[in-house]
Amino acid sequence: MSSTQPSTQPQPVPAPGEARVIAALEGVGVQRYTTGQIILDAVDWSVRSGEHWALLGANGAGKTTILRLVGALMFPTVGSVEVLGHRLGSVDVRELRAVIGLVSGAQKVPQDATGHTVVLTGATGTVQPLWRKYDEATRERAHELLAELDCKELAERPFGVCSGGQRARILIARALMADPRLLLLDEPFNALDLPSREDLIDALHRLALARPELATVTVTHHLEELSPSIGHALLLREGRVQARGPVDEALTGERMTACFGRPIEVSRHEGRWLARSGKR
């Protein structure tokens, strides 16, 4: 599929009080060419500025595939994907990726690089630092982002000796170096212990409050990992949308039961969620 430079046509200006569409999937399907397996089927979904979404579903439901689509890392087999006002297939995805924040455990990071150096690489979108590209303002911004994620003490600590929760916050700071309007988090709580999980939840909640225009999409397996700032949820089952919308409508016991195929009870207390399997 050919790539072109991003369109220079002016984008529609939202009406006062109307949130801008950041990402939109329409009739999207993804099929694995080698086996014919349907990964996603007829997915319609949109994310607006300032919205914070959770993507939930069993393993293999298609969560990471959706994240890769809105991260401009792959193309749909059918349907359309628009991100930041540009339709995939008519934009240079390299330029689009540069302004989308992505945090994933699969990211390659030099283990001996300090926390500050890892954050700096977010300015160039590289694995290794390009020292000549970083002026004093860029270096100071990296320090500010570490402070914003409440981990400024990690600036000189090698990434490889940081805990899982510390690494996650460093990678989020790195993703914010490009000042993205969309931040994608692929299972950021994976393998974290309870204190580290809570620290990361608090950091993401503060981030949402401090950046009202930022949209986030978080892939997770557990409702307990959702911060109070998560206001919307998309539930997937075998590549199809099971539910989507405000969390109070999507994260019900009935819909979670249908999504995961077993009885699930859902409760909420002071903005935090709890899900457990009920008796059959």
Side-chain angles (χ1 to χ4, degrees), residues 167-226:
R167 292 185 187 194
R169 282 182 283 160
I170 289 171
L171 290 176
I172 292 171
R174 179 186 185 275
L176 293 173
M177 279 296 286
D179 198 22
R181 285 187 286 156
L182 176 62
L183 179 63
L184 308 175
L185 305 163
D186 191 4
E187 298 189 37
F189 303 95
N190 189 33
L192 298 189
D193 59 21
L194 180 60
S196 295
R197 183 191 77 179
E198 293 303 302
D199 286 344
L200 183 54
I201 289 171
D202 289 344
L204 289 172
H205 186 49
R206 290 195 305 271
L207 188 67
L209 295 176
R211 297 170 179 256
E213 293 298 313
L214 179 67
T216 68
V217 180
T218 303
V219 169
T220 182
H221 289 286
H222 307 290
L223 295 192
E224 293 79 6
E225 296 173 348
L226 302 183

Side-chain angles (χ1 to χ4, degrees), residues 71-75 92-102 178:
L73 295 171
M74 64 180 295
F75 296 93
D92 185 335
V93 293
R94 295 169 299 180
E95 295 190 9
L96 197 53
R97 291 169 191 160
V99 292
I100 298 172
L102 174 64

Side-chain angles (χ1 to χ4, degrees), residues 45-138:
W45 178 54
S46 63
V47 178
R48 294 180 177 272
S49 60
E51 290 183 345
H52 303 286
W53 283 80
L55 263 59
L56 293 147
N59 288 335
K63 304 184 298 297
T64 296
T65 299
I66 283 187
L67 216 61
R68 287 177 57 80
L69 287 168
V70 297
L73 295 171
M74 64 180 295
F75 296 93
T77 306
V78 297
S80 66
V81 177
E82 290 195 6
V83 184
L84 301 177
H86 300 288
R87 180 168 175 166
L88 297 192
S90 61
V91 61
D92 185 335
V93 293
R94 295 169 299 180
E95 295 190 9
L96 197 53
R97 291 169 191 160
V99 292
I100 298 172
L102 174 64
V103 176
S104 169
Q107 287 173 285
K108 295 181 179 180
V109 178
Q111 298 299 293
D112 59 347
T114 66
H116 183 257
T117 297
V118 172
V119 177
L120 271 179
T121 63
T124 46
T126 56
V127 174
Q128 297 292 339
L130 302 180
W131 295 111
R132 294 183 180 180
K133 298 286 187 179
Y134 310 136
D135 58 19
E136 189 58 35
T138 303

Side-chain angles (χ1 to χ4, degrees), residues 212-278:
E213 293 298 313
L214 179 67
T216 68
V217 180
T218 303
V219 169
T220 182
H221 289 286
H222 307 290
L223 295 192
E224 293 79 6
E225 296 173 348
L226 302 183
S227 84
S229 58
I230 297 290
H232 295 78
L234 175 68
L235 273 57
L236 293 171
R237 180 180 173 91
E238 297 177 350
R240 296 186 66 89
V241 174
Q242 194 72 37
R244 64 174 171 263
V247 287
D248 289 334
E249 299 173 10
L251 300 182
T252 65
E254 179 180 4
R255 288 184 167 176
M256 289 287 288
T257 295
C259 181
F260 287 92
R262 64 181 300 158
I264 294 178
E265 297 176 1
V266 175
S267 59
R268 192 180 190 187
H269 177 66
E270 295 183 352
R272 296 292 299 276
W273 295 87
L274 173 66
R276 68 184 185 91
S277 182

